[in-house]
PDB file of all heavy atoms in Angstrom:
ATOM      1  N   LEU A  83      18.422 143.457 101.890  1.00 98.00           N
ATOM      2  CA  LEU A  83      19.727 143.962 101.613  1.00 98.00           C
ATOM      3  C   LEU A  83      20.395 143.276 100.479  1.00 98.00           C
ATOM      4  O   LEU A  83      21.298 143.790  99.796  1.00 98.00           O
ATOM      5  CB  LEU A  83      20.602 143.819 102.887  1.00 98.00           C
ATOM      6  CG  LEU A  83      20.164 144.674 104.125  1.00 98.00           C
ATOM      7  CD1 LEU A  83      21.021 144.416 105.294  1.00 98.00           C
ATOM      8  CD2 LEU A  83      20.043 146.146 103.773  1.00 98.00           C
ATOM      9  N   THR A  84      19.991 142.000 100.213  1.00 97.00           N
ATOM     10  CA  THR A  84      20.467 141.272  99.094  1.00 97.00           C
ATOM     11  C   THR A  84      19.943 141.910  97.772  1.00 97.00           C
ATOM     12  O   THR A  84      20.717 142.131  96.792  1.00 97.00           O
ATOM     13  CB  THR A  84      20.008 139.800  99.141  1.00 97.00           C
ATOM     14  OG1 THR A  84      20.615 139.239 100.369  1.00 97.00           O
ATOM     15  CG2 THR A  84      20.559 139.039  97.977  1.00 97.00           C
ATOM     16  N   GLY A  85      18.625 142.168  97.726  1.00 96.00           N
ATOM     17  CA  GLY A  85      18.032 142.758  96.518  1.00 96.00           C
ATOM     18  C   GLY A  85      18.259 144.299  96.442  1.00 96.00           C
ATOM     19  O   GLY A  85      18.071 144.895  95.430  1.00 96.00           O
ATOM     20  N   LYS A  86      18.626 144.890  97.634  1.00 97.00           N
ATOM     21  CA  LYS A  86      18.884 146.352  97.706  1.00 97.00           C
ATOM     22  C   LYS A  86      17.626 147.151  97.443  1.00 97.00           C
ATOM     23  O   LYS A  86      17.648 148.196  96.808  1.00 97.00           O
ATOM     24  CB  LYS A  86      20.021 146.770  96.784  1.00 97.00           C
ATOM     25  CG  LYS A  86      21.384 146.052  97.068  1.00 97.00           C
ATOM     26  CD  LYS A  86      22.435 146.563  96.196  1.00 97.00           C
ATOM     27  CE  LYS A  86      23.719 145.831  96.381  1.00 97.00           C
ATOM     28  NZ  LYS A  86      24.231 145.881  97.795  1.00 97.00           N
ATOM     29  N   TRP A  87      16.469 146.712  98.049  1.00 97.00           N
ATOM     30  CA  TRP A  87      15.301 147.456  97.861  1.00 97.00           C
ATOM     31  C   TRP A  87      14.356 147.225  99.100  1.00 97.00           C
ATOM     32  O   TRP A  87      14.543 146.346  99.886  1.00 97.00           O
ATOM     33  CB  TRP A  87      14.467 147.007  96.626  1.00 97.00           C
ATOM     34  CG  TRP A  87      14.394 145.532  96.355  1.00 97.00           C
ATOM     35  CD1 TRP A  87      15.087 144.771  95.412  1.00 97.00           C
ATOM     36  CD2 TRP A  87      13.611 144.554  97.070  1.00 97.00           C
ATOM     37  NE1 TRP A  87      14.784 143.461  95.516  1.00 97.00           N
ATOM     38  CE2 TRP A  87      13.879 143.299  96.509  1.00 97.00           C
ATOM     39  CE3 TRP A  87      12.711 144.671  98.151  1.00 97.00           C
ATOM     40  CZ2 TRP A  87      13.252 142.157  96.980  1.00 97.00           C
ATOM     41  CZ3 TRP A  87      12.085 143.543  98.628  1.00 97.00           C
ATOM     42  CH2 TRP A  87      12.357 142.233  98.048  1.00 97.00           C
ATOM     43  N   ALA A  88      13.336 148.110  99.163  1.00 97.00           N
ATOM     44  CA  ALA A  88      12.331 147.986 100.238  1.00 97.00           C
ATOM     45  C   ALA A  88      10.992 148.420  99.697  1.00 97.00           C
ATOM     46  O   ALA A  88      10.851 149.361  98.899  1.00 97.00           O
ATOM     47  CB  ALA A  88      12.649 148.813 101.473  1.00 97.00           C
ATOM     48  N   TYR A  89       9.943 147.592 100.003  1.00 95.00           N
ATOM     49  CA  TYR A  89       8.557 147.880  99.637  1.00 95.00           C
ATOM     50  C   TYR A  89       7.831 148.189 100.979  1.00 95.00           C
ATOM     51  O   TYR A  89       8.091 147.568 102.009  1.00 95.00           O
ATOM     52  CB  TYR A  89       7.912 146.669  99.008  1.00 95.00           C
ATOM     53  CG  TYR A  89       8.409 146.346  97.580  1.00 95.00           C
ATOM     54  CD1 TYR A  89       9.462 145.488  97.454  1.00 95.00           C
ATOM     55  CD2 TYR A  89       7.837 146.878  96.484  1.00 95.00           C
ATOM     56  CE1 TYR A  89       9.993 145.185  96.247  1.00 95.00           C
ATOM     57  CE2 TYR A  89       8.300 146.558  95.227  1.00 95.00           C
ATOM     58  CZ  TYR A  89       9.358 145.717  95.065  1.00 95.00           C
ATOM     59  OH  TYR A  89       9.818 145.411  93.870  1.00 95.00           O
ATOM     60  N   VAL A  90       6.885 149.080 100.914  1.00 94.00           N
ATOM     61  CA  VAL A  90       5.979 149.353 102.067  1.00 94.00           C
ATOM     62  C   VAL A  90       4.573 149.225 101.606  1.00 94.00           C
ATOM     63  O   VAL A  90       4.113 149.905 100.645  1.00 94.00           O
ATOM     64  CB  VAL A  90       6.244 150.771 102.619  1.00 94.00           C
ATOM     65  CG1 VAL A  90       5.272 151.105 103.751  1.00 94.00           C
ATOM     66  CG2 VAL A  90       7.720 150.934 103.106  1.00 94.00           C
ATOM     67  N   GLY A  91       3.820 148.323 102.211  1.00 89.00           N
ATOM     68  CA  GLY A  91       2.442 148.083 101.857  1.00 89.00           C
ATOM     69  C   GLY A  91       2.148 147.198 100.737  1.00 89.00           C
ATOM     70  O   GLY A  91       0.976 146.984 100.353  1.00 89.00           O
ATOM     71  N   GLY A  92       3.176 146.598 100.155  1.00 74.00           N
ATOM     72  CA  GLY A  92       2.953 145.684  99.044  1.00 74.00           C
ATOM     73  C   GLY A  92       4.205 145.466  98.252  1.00 74.00           C
ATOM     74  O   GLY A  92       5.024 146.326  98.180  1.00 74.00           O
ATOM     75  N   VAL A  93       4.314 144.242  97.664  1.00 71.00           N
ATOM     76  CA  VAL A  93       5.484 143.890  96.862  1.00 71.00           C
ATOM     77  C   VAL A  93       5.082 143.789  95.389  1.00 71.00           C
ATOM     78  O   VAL A  93       4.225 143.012  95.046  1.00 71.00           O
ATOM     79  CB  VAL A  93       6.094 142.594  97.319  1.00 71.00           C
ATOM     80  CG1 VAL A  93       7.284 142.226  96.464  1.00 71.00           C
ATOM     81  CG2 VAL A  93       6.516 142.730  98.817  1.00 71.00           C
ATOM     82  N   GLY A  94       5.697 144.650  94.577  1.00 63.00           N
ATOM     83  CA  GLY A  94       5.387 144.541  93.145  1.00 63.00           C
ATOM     84  C   GLY A  94       5.967 145.771  92.490  1.00 63.00           C
ATOM     85  O   GLY A  94       6.210 146.759  93.146  1.00 63.00           O
ATOM     86  N   PHE A  95       6.155 145.721  91.205  1.00 52.00           N
ATOM     87  CA  PHE A  95       6.707 146.850  90.513  1.00 52.00           C
ATOM     88  C   PHE A  95       5.815 148.086  90.623  1.00 52.00           C
ATOM     89  O   PHE A  95       4.623 148.036  90.469  1.00 52.00           O
ATOM     90  CB  PHE A  95       6.872 146.517  89.013  1.00 52.00           C
ATOM     91  CG  PHE A  95       7.622 147.522  88.222  1.00 52.00           C
ATOM     92  CD1 PHE A  95       9.023 147.600  88.314  1.00 52.00           C
ATOM     93  CD2 PHE A  95       7.004 148.503  87.507  1.00 52.00           C
ATOM     94  CE1 PHE A  95       9.767 148.557  87.642  1.00 52.00           C
ATOM     95  CE2 PHE A  95       7.661 149.459  86.822  1.00 52.00           C
ATOM     96  CZ  PHE A  95       9.086 149.489  86.841  1.00 52.00           C
ATOM     97  N   GLY A  96       6.430 149.200  91.037  1.00 58.00           N
ATOM     98  CA  GLY A  96       5.694 150.395  91.245  1.00 58.00           C
ATOM     99  C   GLY A  96       5.442 150.625  92.740  1.00 58.00           C
ATOM    100  O   GLY A  96       5.110 151.744  93.128  1.00 58.00           O
ATOM    101  N   ASP A  97       5.616 149.614  93.576  1.00 79.00           N
ATOM    102  CA  ASP A  97       5.417 149.805  94.991  1.00 79.00           C
ATOM    103  C   ASP A  97       6.735 149.975  95.778  1.00 79.00           C
ATOM    104  O   ASP A  97       6.739 150.238  96.948  1.00 79.00           O
ATOM    105  CB  ASP A  97       4.742 148.544  95.617  1.00 79.00           C
ATOM    106  CG  ASP A  97       3.357 148.275  95.100  1.00 79.00           C
ATOM    107  OD1 ASP A  97       2.638 149.283  94.896  1.00 79.00           O
ATOM    108  OD2 ASP A  97       2.998 147.111  94.977  1.00 79.00           O
ATOM    109  N   VAL A  98       7.861 149.906  95.040  1.00 90.00           N
ATOM    110  CA  VAL A  98       9.134 150.026  95.688  1.00 90.00           C
ATOM    111  C   VAL A  98       9.285 151.402  96.360  1.00 90.00           C
ATOM    112  O   VAL A  98       8.941 152.433  95.757  1.00 90.00           O
ATOM    113  CB  VAL A  98      10.333 149.723  94.734  1.00 90.00           C
ATOM    114  CG1 VAL A  98      10.393 150.800  93.626  1.00 90.00           C
ATOM    115  CG2 VAL A  98      11.619 149.626  95.483  1.00 90.00           C
ATOM    116  N   ARG A  99       9.722 151.424  97.607  1.00 94.00           N
ATOM    117  CA  ARG A  99       9.814 152.685  98.346  1.00 94.00           C
ATOM    118  C   ARG A  99      11.302 153.197  98.308  1.00 94.00           C
ATOM    119  O   ARG A  99      11.524 154.405  98.050  1.00 94.00           O
ATOM    120  CB  ARG A  99       9.425 152.522  99.774  1.00 94.00           C
ATOM    121  CG  ARG A  99       9.797 153.614 100.759  1.00 94.00           C
ATOM    122  CD  ARG A  99       8.912 154.843 100.599  1.00 94.00           C
ATOM    123  NE  ARG A  99       7.623 154.581 100.957  1.00 94.00           N
ATOM    124  CZ  ARG A  99       7.090 154.567 102.199  1.00 94.00           C
ATOM    125  NH1 ARG A  99       7.866 154.867 103.209  1.00 94.00           N
ATOM    126  NH2 ARG A  99       5.824 154.309 102.450  1.00 94.00           N
ATOM    127  N   ASP A 100      12.214 152.293  98.543  1.00 97.00           N
ATOM    128  CA  ASP A 100      13.596 152.691  98.645  1.00 97.00           C
ATOM    129  C   ASP A 100      14.464 151.688  97.842  1.00 97.00           C
ATOM    130  O   ASP A 100      14.166 150.535  97.740  1.00 97.00           O
ATOM    131  CB  ASP A 100      14.116 152.664 100.082  1.00 97.00           C
ATOM    132  CG  ASP A 100      13.420 153.636 100.956  1.00 97.00           C
ATOM    133  OD1 ASP A 100      12.952 154.691 100.455  1.00 97.00           O
ATOM    134  OD2 ASP A 100      13.176 153.294 102.127  1.00 97.00           O
TER     135      ASP A 100
END
Side-chain angles (χ1 to χ4, degrees):
L83 296 178
T84 301
K86 301 183 184 301
W87 45 253
Y89 294 87
V90 177
V93 176
F95 188 79
D97 296 323
V98 66
R99 168 75 64 84
D100 300 325

